[in-house]
Amino acid sequence: MQKWILVKFTDNLLERASSTDRRRDDCFGEPCHSCHVVHILHAGGGWKGGRSRGGSSGLTGVMGMRGGMGKRRAAPTTPSTGQEGQVKTLFFVAVIGVALTILGLGTDYWVELAPPKTYYSNETCMVAHYGLWKRCLTTLWATDIDPERESCGPANLPGEIESNCTFFKFFTSGDNAVIFQKTTQKSLSVAAASLALLSLFLMVTAAVCIIMSLSKGEKFFLKPASVCFTLSGILVLLSLIVFHQSVLALLASDHTVPIHHELSWSASCIGISGAILTVAGLLFMLLTLPFSPWERCLPHDHSAT
């Protein structure tokens, strides 16, 4: 009787051990989270009667794995101290570009048109300059002009006799203007002004995004700011190109009066501001990347220890 009980007890132990091994093998074959927990518990201290002998260490391993996964998923949303300094520096540069754009848009020295000095009389001559919004005709003394200069001007020469400025009627009645018997092209002039105003709107939007990023400490606002600054710089340059095409169309409208033309300092401000805003927008875009491009492109000077 005792021998039969011992054999039965041994068979139960063997059956229970084989059942535990089958459940463990089935679980390890599945790519599920619970199987990873089983694997960690098994590695922590083995199994006995459906429980792990190292249950506390296995639970610690599970919590450590979940905490590590959460840490890897977390991404920094606030700029670091170094990045904040870079953002402020780039924003200062972009503000310079915005100031140059406003200066260029508000003045009317985009182009100067000058006929020959001897076209009107020997004593006086006329020169015209205009921008996006108005034109001015200035009368100068011929004696004040550089003797080596064949045309009248420049328009900002001191000692002018008379200056007459009028606004264009492109945006009111839709009439073209006549300058030295040459007619302006309304469509090109309106296109240049529209591009300039749109770029100004994008500059304001980008500046608001940068201010919100610095005040709230959110790196997310740098992305729309970079796009707006880049687009505003491109639109400013396109506005200058379209304006120059309108000047060429004006000169080609009539050939009665020979006219010498040259872009003036307002156009120079627009060109410089467009380049500054485009570069600043691209640099802002580099700051929004999740990695440092300098570390990726440049070799490391120090070796890892």
Side-chain angles (χ1 to χ4, degrees), residues 238-252:
L238 286 178
S239 175
L240 182 59
I241 293 174
V242 173
F243 177 82
H244 186 252
Q245 293 299 317
S246 69
V247 174
L248 296 180
L250 170 72
L251 298 176

Side-chain angles (χ1 to χ4, degrees), residues 270-286:
I270 292 295
I272 296 173
S273 66
I276 291 176
L277 292 171
T278 303
V279 173
L282 294 176
L283 292 179
F284 273 122
M285 196 172 297
L286 290 179

Side-chain angles (χ1 to χ4, degrees), residues 9 31-32 64 232 253:
F9 180 73
C32 58
S232 64
S253 63

Side-chain angles (χ1 to χ4, degrees), residues 32-286:
C32 58
H33 180 69
S34 60
C35 296
H36 293 301
V37 175
V38 172
H39 177 69
I40 292 173
L41 292 175
H42 175 67
W47 292 76
K48 180 178 180 182
R51 288 186 175 182
S52 66
R53 290 192 298 269
S56 60
S57 61
L59 183 60
T60 305
V62 174
M63 298 303 294
M65 181 187 69
R66 293 177 63 87
M69 292 173 62
K71 290 180 180 179
R72 286 194 298 268
R73 285 195 297 264
T77 58
T78 59
S80 61
T81 305
Q83 284 185 338
E84 185 176 354
Q86 294 174 356
V87 169
K88 291 181 179 179
T89 303
L90 287 179
F91 186 50
F92 176 75
V93 174
V95 168
I96 295 177
V98 174
L100 290 175
T101 303
I102 296 175
L103 178 63
L105 294 180
T107 53
D108 47 34
Y109 283 88
W110 283 54
V111 66
E112 294 183 8
L113 305 177
K117 290 187 297 184
T118 58
Y119 182 77
Y120 291 99
S121 65
N122 294 328
E123 296 181 358
T124 61
C125 65
M126 295 185 66
V127 62
H129 62 90
Y130 67 92
L132 295 177
W133 321 110
K134 68 178 180 178
R135 63 179 176 88
C136 296
L137 292 175
T138 305
T139 304
L140 302 175
W141 292 107
T143 55
D144 294 336
I145 302 173
D146 187 1
E148 298 181 358
R149 183 183 177 97
E150 296 181 357
S151 60
C152 187
N156 56 356
L157 188 68
E160 62 183 27
I161 302 174
E162 182 183 3
S163 181
N164 183 19
C165 297
T166 57
F167 284 92
F168 290 121
K169 298 181 180 179
F170 303 140
F171 311 99
T172 55
S173 61
D175 297 335
N176 285 314
V178 178
I179 305 175
F180 296 131
Q181 303 181 16
K182 301 178 185 296
T183 306
T184 59
Q185 295 292 329
K186 179 182 66 175
S187 58
L188 293 175
S189 300
V190 171
S194 301
L195 290 173
L197 292 177
L198 181 58
S199 67
L200 192 61
F201 171 76
L202 291 175
M203 294 175 205
V204 174
T205 304
V208 171
C209 291
I210 294 297
I211 293 174
M212 293 180 65
S213 176
L214 293 175
S215 61
K216 297 183 178 296
E218 291 290 339
K219 192 177 179 181
F220 167 77
F221 292 104
L222 295 179
K223 295 181 180 180
S226 63
V227 174
C228 290
F229 271 135
T230 304
L231 290 178
S232 64
I234 294 174
L235 290 179
V236 165
L237 296 177
L238 286 178
S239 175
L240 182 59
I241 293 174
V242 173
F243 177 82
H244 186 252
Q245 293 299 317
S246 69
V247 174
L248 296 180
L250 170 72
L251 298 176
S253 63
D254 185 82
H255 299 281
T256 304
V257 181
I259 297 295
H260 171 74
H261 80 283
E262 59 182 3
L263 297 177
S264 190
W265 60 268
S266 296
S268 300
C269 292
I270 292 295
I272 296 173
S273 66
I276 291 176
L277 292 171
T278 303
V279 173
L282 294 176
L283 292 179
F284 273 122
M285 196 172 297
L286 290 179

